[in-house]
Amino acid sequence: MRAVVIDAVRARPEVRDVAEPSAPPHGVVVQVRATGLCRSDWHAWAGHDEIAWPHVPGHELAGVVAAVGEGVRRWRTGDRVTVPFVCGCGRCDWCRAGDAQVCPAQEQPGFTHWGSFAEHVALHAADTNLVAVPEHVDFATAAGLGCRFATAYRALAARARVAEGEWVTVLGAGGVGLSAVMIARALGARVIAVDRNPEALARARELGAEHTLRADGTDVPEAVADLTGGGSHVAVDAVGSEQTCADAVLSLRRRGRHVQIGLLPPVEGHPRVPMARVIGWELDLLGSHGMAAADYPAMMSLIEQGTLQPQRLIERTIGLDAAAALLPVFDRAAPAGITMIDPAL
């Protein structure tokens, strides 16, 4: 099969012919019909995660079951499926409680093993992790759920418990940030989007942001306080930097809730968080790490009803060769939405 292969940290990705994977016990092989290019893939390429080289990235995917391993009960070849980017073991206390996203023995395609920037990918613990894709939901839409959209949905609906009429400030209007804008608006919140890219901010406004702020040259916390009459009820860092994390925390009103979605790798030392404000204003700091397959039905139902339309977030679709060229510079790219990969192109 064709796949994007990386030989070492920050090495140039190349499209090569490699052996197709075999279905592991209790797992499956999926023929990849769509897979998303995410900033997390760039973090892996840049060496911010523990990766065994050579490596195939890719963790947001949807496709068709091509092979079924021993012990799988719920799935058959030909089934249309997607999967969360965190795959639980299916056996531990957290998985049995429906919290596979924090499984201590979790597998992550594109990180712990070869991922979906390929024509086929192996997935573990299929009965715990696979999610059926309805016939009228296309593969690109389903693939977009696996990391950014599902993470944003759980961050706002389950972690922050956003209520109707609350103010939500989203820092970063990339794939996960735009997902958060759409979801917060669907939950009845009033949304402020913050980004450096004017095109991304225009997209955020189309998706329901009531106000947009250019990050460069703006005192974000002060501007948010002025717009909301004292600060947001909820703030989301959808970028993952010391600056965006601090701006999000300082944008909150007293007793507000901060949700950290963007990764904060200690590349230049551990990031500083304004903890004095957290303590003095009794702020809640919440992490959000994907969403378990068990929680997908409620989100999928809203998509089927048309309340949520994640397909609107897809900006472009490219092939494997273009993905290999884009990955090393993705931290400097400024897409106003999600970049999707079709391995058949």
Side-chain angles (χ1 to χ4, degrees), residues 244-289:
T244 53
C245 177
D247 280 347
V249 170
L250 295 173
S251 295
L252 290 168
R253 66 181 58 204
R254 297 169 190 271
R255 301 299 306 276
R257 293 104 71 197
H258 168 75
V259 189
Q260 187 67 39
I261 295 178
L263 298 176
L264 285 165
V267 178
E268 299 176 356
H270 288 284
R272 293 163 294 185
V273 178
M275 292 302 294
R277 175 66 64 87
V278 173
I279 296 165
W281 286 21
E282 291 195 354
L283 305 178
D284 292 339
L285 300 185
L286 304 166
S288 189
H289 189 237

Side-chain angles (χ1 to χ4, degrees), residues 93-241:
D93 291 343
W94 290 272
C95 284
R96 288 198 295 268
D99 289 324
Q101 77 281 354
V102 292
C103 171
Q106 65 189 246
E107 299 276 358
Q108 295 185 23
F111 298 95
T112 61
H113 63 283
W114 280 18
S116 55
F117 287 8
E119 294 177 325
H120 292 84
V121 63
L123 300 171
H124 301 268
D127 288 332
T128 295
N129 298 303
L130 292 192
V131 177
V133 176
E135 285 292 336
H136 60 276
V137 176
D138 64 79
F139 288 115
T141 299
L145 304 178
C147 173
R148 287 165 279 194
F149 199 86
T151 298
Y153 180 84
R154 187 169 184 278
L156 293 170
R159 298 294 282 148
R161 299 183 181 275
V162 170
E164 186 171 357
E166 289 190 315
W167 282 101
V168 175
T169 296
V170 179
L171 284 93
V176 69
L178 291 175
S179 299
V181 169
M182 178 186 289
I183 293 162
R185 189 68 195 92
L187 294 172
R190 305 176 69 182
V191 184
I192 300 170
V194 184
D195 201 278
R196 294 175 176 174
N197 179 5
E199 293 181 4
L201 291 176
R203 194 79 181 94
R205 190 174 287 277
E206 291 174 7
L207 294 171
E210 189 170 330
H211 301 285
T212 58
L213 296 173
R214 284 288 297 273
D216 291 334
T218 300
D219 186 326
V220 173
E222 181 178 346
V224 170
D226 289 342
L227 289 169
T228 60
S232 286
H233 300 86
V234 174
V236 176
D237 177 9
V239 177
S241 73

Side-chain angles (χ1 to χ4, degrees), residues 289-306:
H289 189 237
M291 187 169 79
D295 292 331
Y296 266 64
M299 179 181 68
M300 197 69 80
S301 176
L302 293 175
I303 293 168
E304 290 186 84
Q305 296 167 21

